[in-house]
Amino acid sequence: MADESAEDEAETDGGVRAYTVRLELVDEPGELLRALAPVADNGGNLLSIHHERGNITPRGHIPVEVDLESPPERFDEIVEGLREAGVNVIQAGAEHYGEELSVVLVGHIVENDLSGTLSRIEDEADAVVQDLSLAAPDGTDATSSARIRLAIDSGRSDQVFEVVRSIGADKDLTVVEPLVGGDA
Amino acid sequence: MRLAILGAGDVGRSVADLAGEYGHDVVALADSSDAAIDPDGIDVDRALERKLGGDPLGPDDPAAVFETAYDVLVEATPTTLGDAEPGFTHVKRALETDHHVVLANKGPVAERYEELRALEAESEGSIRFEATVGGAIPVLSTVEDSTPQAVTAVRGVLNGTANFILTRMAAEGLDYEHVLAEAQDLGVAEADPTFDVDGTDAALKFVILANVLADGGFSLEDATVEGIQNIPGSALDLAAEDGRTIRLIGEASREGIRVGPRLVPENGALAVTGTRNIVQIETKHAGSLHNSGRGAGGPETATAVLSDVGRLPER
């Protein structure tokens, strides 16, 4: 039961998403540590830090790219915390995606507006189509198959599948989802 | 134990054939029109010979099976949907007269689980139904040993015909219709393969599993079911580009049942080939257990029936 309540808590937080923040730091000892404190103080989880020592921004500062995970509503507090600490935030919230998964669609994919299907997946499922592979051995006006690789936020696969399923139902496409769960 | 066997298809005949090896006597063997009954044990070989020669199993009336002295009714008549008759009434009659029942017939367990359990609660007899899920593979007894409360989900491949078709399509780059015809020639698929390829057969098994996990509450209409008829060879080719393949996968949990074609890792545990079946039993405290083996066939399924007979309390 302890496990379940822990999962429930994560869920009520709205899930954790991955973010990239670009910072400009003054080239002084201790600056990096000072810049990262607001992330940890506001409940962010540091994933990676790319410290471009050789590169200098036009203003003579060092660019640093920080990947972190946090619940969406806490992300604004993290950015605010950085600004309050006097850290120059160049870019925030350009999300990167934590998970990749593939689905296979079967049906009259091309005739049924393939690019429309892809943009609906991107808009409605909040996913990025990374790669598309189409097989239409009997011509594009017959039944064909498409494999679509999607980048999504960690822990959002259920919602993404739900959207893809409903788009499939609208367009009369069979959706073959990956089996998620267990150690399949 | 003294077995009364209803149903003389592959499973019923194999149970009769193997019962002696497991130390049991067959006192009745009946199909829908005829029966061989003898309280001292029937001559199984002779009855089976007659049946295979196109003659009645014996001179008796199937209704008389319930009048004879037996310990366990083996219900191996064909699976029917909806009210699951006549299988359900057979089980009811046996339980009401305090006999044990072992089912190979999926219908009553999938469609009328709560009624079966209520009848069992009133009876001195018990019911068991290992043979209804995964043939020779001990699925239900594994769930029972782990205790259903500690099992969070069961997933897997429980239809050999659909699995055979998908395996051949992936290996040979052939289309569904072609491979289905081949499967029918080989006797892997029935002349009418609808129940296998549209997912119904697998769904019944996962409905039974959900009923065991949740102690009832599910029937076929609660399951989300999709078949493999719409999967072209090209979909399997595309899946392979990613190191994946497509299998007809069922999932049962306390929340529900879902059966459909899914992408699984090509070399993963669930990508069994040919007519082989596999289940993954996900437990709360012990990770996942995998059981694989032959999920159909007369002698294979009969071993599950006879294992159940062996687990029944002595009367």
Side-chain angles (χ1 to χ4, degrees):
Chain A
M1 287 315 278
D3 279 1
E4 276 172 30
S5 63
E7 271 170 32
D8 285 346
E9 271 171 31
E11 204 49 43
T12 52
D13 255 353
V16 171
R17 304 179 83 166
Y19 298 91
T20 300
V21 183
R22 283 185 70 80
L23 312 173
E24 257 189 346
L25 299 185
V26 183
D27 193 5
E28 278 171 18
E31 266 305 283
L32 181 60
L33 197 60
R34 195 174 71 82
L36 295 179
V39 176
D41 292 349
N42 289 290
N45 178 32
L46 279 172
L47 295 175
S48 71
I49 300 161
H50 192 205
H51 195 190
E52 299 172 42
R53 275 213 143 269
N55 257 336
I56 303 285
T57 65
R59 277 181 290 189
H61 294 165
I62 297 172
V64 175
E65 200 170 87
V66 178
D67 288 340
L68 62 95
E69 271 183 342
S70 87
E73 66 275 11
R74 292 208 198 140
F75 180 65
D76 292 342
E77 293 165 24
I78 290 172
V79 175
E80 209 175 302
L82 286 167
R83 291 197 166 120
E84 276 171 14
V87 177
N88 192 12
V89 180
I90 305 172
Q91 191 191 347
E95 295 171 24
H96 81 175
Y97 291 82
E99 247 180 82
E100 270 188 12
L101 48 89
S102 289
V103 292
V104 171
L105 305 179
V106 176
H108 289 272
I109 296 169
V110 182
E111 276 186 333
N112 273 332
D113 183 14
L114 175 57
S115 65
T117 304
L118 298 180
S119 28
R120 273 189 69 183
I121 292 176
E122 294 209 320
D123 295 348
E124 294 171 31
D126 198 10
V128 173
V129 174
Q130 291 200 314
D131 180 33
L132 168 79
S133 192
L134 184 73
D138 303 315
T140 50
D141 52 354
T143 294
S144 48
S145 309
R147 181 177 54 77
I148 299 170
R149 192 184 300 143
L150 297 172
I152 62 165
D153 284 331
S154 304
R156 285 196 74 250
S157 53
D158 283 352
Q159 292 100 305
V160 172
F161 291 141
E162 209 169 295
V163 172
V164 175
R165 237 176 276 154
S166 91
I167 296 172
D170 287 353
K171 298 198 164 214
D172 205 18
L173 303 175
T174 301
V175 178
V176 183
E177 293 169 29
L179 183 69
V180 181
D183 49 18
Chain B
M1 296 247 207
R2 292 167 298 177
L3 311 185
I5 304 168
L6 291 185
D10 282 347
V11 176
R13 292 203 306 269
S14 295
V15 172
D17 190 31
L18 298 177
E21 221 177 286
Y22 284 71
H24 306 298
D25 297 316
V26 180
V27 294
L29 174 61
D31 58 22
S32 55
S33 48
D34 305 286
I37 301 174
D38 186 335
D40 297 323
I42 65 164
D43 185 336
V44 171
D45 289 344
R46 258 189 73 203
L48 293 181
E49 229 167 79
R50 281 198 296 261
K51 170 86 182 174
L52 292 174
D55 294 321
L57 283 162
D60 302 300
D61 183 347
V65 167
F66 290 96
E67 315 302 326
T68 194
Y70 67 95
D71 301 305
V72 184
L73 182 79
V74 175
E75 220 303 335
T77 66
T79 294
T80 52
L81 302 181
D83 63 2
E85 292 290 8
F88 181 82
T89 298
H90 294 156
V91 180
K92 185 172 184 224
R93 284 187 72 171
L95 286 175
E96 280 175 350
T97 48
D98 292 328
H99 293 92
H100 293 309
V101 182
V102 171
L103 291 108
N105 177 352
K106 295 183 279 290
V109 200
E111 300 285 69
R112 302 177 74 174
Y113 188 84
E114 300 83 0
E115 289 174 79
L116 284 189
R117 287 301 190 198
L119 287 167
E120 185 191 35
E122 296 289 306
S123 174
E124 303 273 306
S126 309
I127 54 172
R128 299 196 63 90
F129 42 89
E130 179 69 82
T132 60
V133 180
I137 311 170
V139 181
L140 295 170
S141 51
T142 306
V143 171
E144 187 179 51
D145 285 351
S146 312
T147 78
Q149 294 76 24
V151 173
T152 47
V154 182
R155 303 185 182 87
V157 172
L158 284 179
N159 185 277
T161 304
N163 204 63
F164 176 87
I165 292 174
L166 290 171
T167 309
R168 291 287 294 163
M169 284 172 70
E172 309 293 331
L174 296 168
D175 262 320
Y176 172 78
E177 297 295 339
H178 186 113
V179 176
L180 174 60
E182 181 197 67
Q184 285 168 326
D185 285 346
L186 289 172
V188 172
E190 316 241 350
D192 178 2
T194 313
F195 269 27
D196 293 313
V197 299
D198 77 0
T200 306
D201 174 73
L204 284 170
K205 295 164 188 170
F206 284 97
V207 168
I208 292 171
L209 283 163
N211 276 332
V212 169
L213 295 183
D215 198 21
F218 296 103
S219 73
L220 188 57
E221 59 188 27
D222 302 305
T224 307
V225 187
E226 253 186 278
I228 61 162
Q229 310 99 307
N230 295 330
I231 305 296
S234 58
L236 285 144
D237 292 344
L238 289 180
E241 286 179 1
D242 243 5
R244 288 168 199 263
T245 189
I246 298 175
R247 288 289 183 270
L248 183 66
I249 301 282
E251 297 176 271
S253 68
R254 270 171 277 278
E255 281 71 53
I257 303 109
R258 179 172 169 199
V259 174
R262 303 289 283 274
L263 292 167
V264 295
E266 221 165 10
N267 300 313
L270 294 185
V272 286
T273 57
T275 56
R276 213 171 171 78
N277 283 196
I278 184 158
V279 289
Q280 176 194 75
I281 297 166
E282 187 183 280
T283 67
K284 236 187 230 173
H285 311 298
S288 288
L289 312 172
H290 290 86
N291 279 4
S292 179
R294 294 193 189 166
E300 291 87 348
T301 308
T303 62
V305 170
L306 290 161
S307 300
D308 268 352
V309 172
R311 289 189 188 102
L312 286 166
E314 280 291 338
R315 302 182 58 246

